[in-house]
């Protein structure tokens, strides 16, 4: 989808930063995204909720095009995308734009470079939070990202500071890449 005259559309570029190579981290991330987009908590993401979420992320999508893209994934009788529908849509988009990998659970096909790839994914994720590029995530930077995502934690600096303290192993008041990496690996659910 690209920009076309009066209609603004989502322009998706092929980039490894949009997907993670770790299946368990990808599944956890996808569930978290689903929960964020499902504003009313009814277990479905409506086209309006999806449009609002994309807009908050700075991705203005034409509502009619968004509807035509997702309507085939919405099960008959549902008001929007269930998590399974959302996962199917995500996999299709991943296959189309990135050549696959979303949710690949083939543990037997471990790529020898997967550790380096995981490290690269974590570095890209870290850069999203490290807005000023100084190599650390401050409470202010974390708060800014949480607010952009519409998370309630972003509204209270005290909560943000507690989040920083919970992973700040060297007690410098900031999260460095190694602390971030340890935190992210701690939330990964092992594939079984």
């Amino acid at each position: 989808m690209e920009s076309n005259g009066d209609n603004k559309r989502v322009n998706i570029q092929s980039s490894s930063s949009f997907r993670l190579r770790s299946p368990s981290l990808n599944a956890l991330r996808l569930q978290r995204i689903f929960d964020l987009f499902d504003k009313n908590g009814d277990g479905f993401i409506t086209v309006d909720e999806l449009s609002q979420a994309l807009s908050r992320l700075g991705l203005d999508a034409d509502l009619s095009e968004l509807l035509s893209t997702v309507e085939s994934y919405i099960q008959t009788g549902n008001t929007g995308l269930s998590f399974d529908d959302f996962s199917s849509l995500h996999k299709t988009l991943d296959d189309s734009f990135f050549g696959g990998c979303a949710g690949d659970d083939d543990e037997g096909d471990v790529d020898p470079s997967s550790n380096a790839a995981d490290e690269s994914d974590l570095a890209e994720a870290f850069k999203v939070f490290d807005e000023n590029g100084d190599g650390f995530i401050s409470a202010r930077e974390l708060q800014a990202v949480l607010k952009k995502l519409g998370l309630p934690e972003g509204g209270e600096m005290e909560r943000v500071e507690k989040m920083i303290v919970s992973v700040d192993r060297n007690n410098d008041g900031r999260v460095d890449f190694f602390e971030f990496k340890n935190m992210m690996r701690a939330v990964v659910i092992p594939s079984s």
Side-chain angles (χ1 to χ4, degrees), residues 43-46 71 73-83 85:
F44 296 99
I45 300 174
T46 65
E71 69 184 346
Y73 291 90
I74 299 173
Q75 299 299 315
T76 305
N78 287 350
T79 58
L81 296 165
S82 67
F83 179 71
D85 302 335

Side-chain angles (χ1 to χ4, degrees), residues 43-118:
F44 296 99
I45 300 174
T46 65
V47 174
D48 285 336
E49 286 173 324
L50 184 57
S51 177
Q52 290 169 12
L54 292 173
S55 181
R56 281 193 310 272
L57 294 170
L59 303 170
D60 294 325
D62 178 78
L63 196 57
S64 62
E65 180 159 325
L66 191 57
L67 177 61
S68 69
T69 301
V70 301
E71 69 184 346
S72 64
Y73 291 90
I74 299 173
Q75 299 299 315
T76 305
N78 287 350
T79 58
L81 296 165
S82 67
F83 179 71
D84 289 340
D85 302 335
F86 184 68
S87 295
S88 295
L89 173 63
H90 177 260
K91 179 158 179 28
T92 299
L93 291 174
D94 184 67
D95 290 347
S96 298
F97 292 105
F98 308 116
C101 273
D104 288 349
D105 292 328
D106 297 335
E107 289 185 56
D109 299 337
V110 175
D111 183 349
S113 65
S114 66
N115 284 342
D118 287 346

Side-chain angles (χ1 to χ4, degrees), residues 143 146-147 151-160:
Q143 184 180 38
L146 294 174
K147 280 183 176 179
L151 295 171
E153 293 89 342
E156 298 177 41
M157 182 53 87
E158 185 177 325
R159 288 179 78 182
V160 173

